[in-house]
Amino acid sequence: MLYTIYADRILSNAWVLQQDGTFKEKDRNDLDQENDYVFSSEEAAQEWLSTKEELLVNGKMVEVDKLIYGPEDISFYVQAHRLEKPKQAYPTKEELATLILNGNDSEHNSLVIDFDGKAHLIPLKGRMPNSLTGYAVRFETFGAENGYVGTEKSLNHLDHTYQCLLEGWLDHLVYGSTSYRDYSENEFTVEELLKQIENEINKYN
């Protein structure tokens, strides 16, 4: 995986950080390794951003931590770019069921898929869900003491959760970026999603 820094105007323009420190307008998810400022890890890109208070984008100085209120506001984010096939095509429903059953309901848990295509249930232990970086997909957090993990009854949401994970994983494979899911669009069946996922994976060397 490689990473770039984008300045983004919601549903409109996007600019990517160049090696000379400027931002160039271009299509989202389009990687130009010769000219884009490319990072080898998400942490390195986030660290670069953390050292900046303002950046010049489209002729204006923009606060890096600016709160976004309207369609003209610009925000900064780290964009992931996939260059090769994941080690695992997708997590199976059986693997997801095992994760859920083995979860600790006394803690908040975040369900994620890593860039290799493997699902993980991560106890937050005082961390905020959005502090989890370095994953292709992050599902809505399972709140502690709500019965979402740890018992057979927890599997009541298995089908819905698996559908959401596959939708997020497909989004990642198509667009390269990380994906957050808290609901299912149900545009495709699980079987259709798996077929699309396999088609996307076959596009990589």
Side-chain angles (χ1 to χ4, degrees):
M1 300 295 298
L2 295 177
Y3 302 84
T4 54
I5 293 175
Y6 268 78
D8 185 80
R9 185 181 284 146
I10 298 174
L11 301 178
S12 182
N13 311 76
W15 300 263
V16 67
L17 177 66
Q18 301 292 283
Q19 293 181 12
D20 62 6
T22 63
F23 279 83
K24 177 183 178 181
E25 187 171 3
K26 61 188 298 188
D27 292 337
R28 292 170 177 82
N29 310 318
D30 180 20
L31 178 64
D32 175 6
Q33 294 192 56
E34 290 188 5
N35 297 296
D36 295 346
Y37 195 143
V38 178
F39 298 84
S40 60
S41 70
E42 183 174 359
E43 292 76 13
Q46 293 287 4
E47 183 177 353
W48 188 95
L49 266 180
S50 71
T51 64
K52 313 298 179 184
E53 294 184 0
E54 291 183 325
L55 291 168
L56 181 64
V57 180
N58 197 31
K60 293 197 232 176
M61 295 301 295
V62 181
E63 293 179 34
V64 171
D65 292 328
K66 179 180 175 62
L67 295 176
I68 304 304
Y69 295 105
E72 295 303 311
D73 288 334
I74 293 174
S75 62
F76 297 92
Y77 67 93
V78 175
Q79 171 73 40
H81 301 272
R82 174 173 288 282
L83 302 179
E84 58 187 10
K85 292 181 180 182
K87 293 180 180 178
Q88 180 173 326
Y90 49 81
T92 67
K93 186 185 288 189
E94 292 72 24
E95 290 169 342
L96 177 58
T98 299
L99 288 176
I100 291 172
L101 288 174
N102 289 335
N104 183 354
D105 191 41
S106 66
E107 299 176 322
H108 299 306
N109 292 274
S110 277
L111 184 63
V112 301
I113 301 178
D114 64 24
F115 288 113
D116 286 328
K118 184 174 178 59
H120 305 268
L121 187 66
I122 301 179
L124 292 179
K125 297 181 179 178
R127 298 175 62 185
M128 295 297 292
N130 58 10
S131 70
L132 294 177
T133 59
Y135 295 101
V137 182
R138 182 169 64 84
F139 184 66
E140 183 180 22
T141 298
F142 296 138
E145 310 294 345
N146 284 318
Y148 291 120
V149 302
T151 67
E152 288 287 340
K153 187 176 179 181
S154 303
L155 295 179
N156 289 343
H157 64 83
L158 177 64
D159 288 344
H160 173 262
T161 300
Y162 189 56
Q163 175 93 19
C164 291
L165 282 184
L166 291 182
E167 290 176 359
W169 182 236
L170 178 60
D171 277 352
H172 163 70
L173 293 173
V174 171
Y175 302 110
S177 58
T178 56
S179 176
Y180 171 74
R181 285 281 166 167
D182 58 1
Y183 67 93
S184 172
E185 295 179 351
N186 287 315
E187 183 178 357
F188 303 103
T189 66
V190 166
E191 291 73 21
E192 290 170 335
L193 288 169
L194 293 178
K195 185 175 181 179
Q196 291 181 63
I197 286 169
E198 290 173 352
N199 288 339
E200 289 300 322
I201 287 175
N202 287 334
K203 294 178 182 178
Y204 293 97
N205 296 325

